[in-house]
Amino acid sequence: MTDQPNPLNTKEGEAQLLQDLLSAERAGAKVAGDSLKQCNDDAQRKVLEQVHRGEVDSCKLVLSCLQHLGLEPNREVGAFYDKAMAIESLDERLPFIDRGQRWVIRKLKEYLPGCQDPVIRKELEKMLEIHEVNSLLAH
């Protein structure tokens, strides 16, 4: 067994992860915001409002990491947006939104153990907590 470093914990892997996370968080914020416009159910509204806040806050955290590294943020909205909005029913869209939350959780849990930068670690640990709370709320 070789001790290969996690590709996410290389300079290139870290930069790509942060850009991917930024695109995904933008998509999540847009999905939650647009879904709120369609929402008539108080329980769903509460979940969507919480997810929207979390996605916006996560965008800020990722932007902070990119700025810390001196990297220019992309301007992309992830493909998650189109996939989520293609699901017409909010009852069916909410579990899909939660799958997006869990994707971010998986990526962060894969990356964080090898993260050597205390600034990035702190920001992404906050982001992980936001997504874990929001994923629990969505159930």
Side-chain angles (χ1 to χ4, degrees):
M1 191 163 115
T2 59
D3 257 353
Q4 292 294 327
N6 181 337
L8 293 177
N9 294 111
T10 63
K11 187 174 181 174
E12 297 79 18
E14 181 179 68
Q16 186 61 55
L17 173 67
L18 291 171
Q19 297 288 4
D20 290 347
L21 287 171
L22 182 58
S23 297
E25 295 308 304
R26 275 195 195 109
K30 195 165 164 38
V31 166
D34 287 354
S35 295
L36 274 166
K37 295 173 190 170
Q38 302 172 332
C39 187
N40 296 316
D41 178 271
D42 286 341
Q44 287 179 338
R45 176 170 296 285
K46 182 179 177 187
V47 170
L48 287 167
E49 286 172 346
Q50 170 93 19
V51 167
H52 186 260
R53 268 191 309 277
E55 299 295 287
V56 169
D57 289 346
S58 293
C59 280
K60 293 174 186 173
L61 292 169
V62 176
L63 286 168
S64 172
C65 291
L66 289 166
Q67 181 180 26
H68 170 71
L69 294 174
L71 298 173
E72 186 70 27
N74 71 48
R75 303 269 182 247
E76 298 167 17
V77 173
F80 178 79
Y81 176 78
D82 289 332
K83 291 176 185 175
M85 296 310 290
I87 302 169
E88 289 187 31
S89 162
L90 273 181
D91 289 336
E92 295 173 20
R93 190 181 308 149
L94 282 171
F96 188 79
I97 291 171
D98 184 50
R99 283 194 4 225
Q101 298 289 307
R102 287 184 278 130
W103 177 85
V104 171
I105 292 167
R106 270 194 318 277
K107 285 303 207 182
L108 291 174
K109 284 186 173 181
E110 186 180 335
Y111 166 76
L112 281 169
C115 177
Q116 301 299 313
D117 187 312
V119 172
I120 292 176
R121 175 177 286 284
K122 182 179 175 202
E123 298 296 82
L124 294 186
E125 283 174 347
K126 288 182 208 171
M127 187 172 161
L128 176 59
E129 184 178 340
I130 288 168
H131 283 75
E132 287 175 334
V133 166
N134 286 351
S135 182
L136 286 174
L137 184 66
H139 283 98

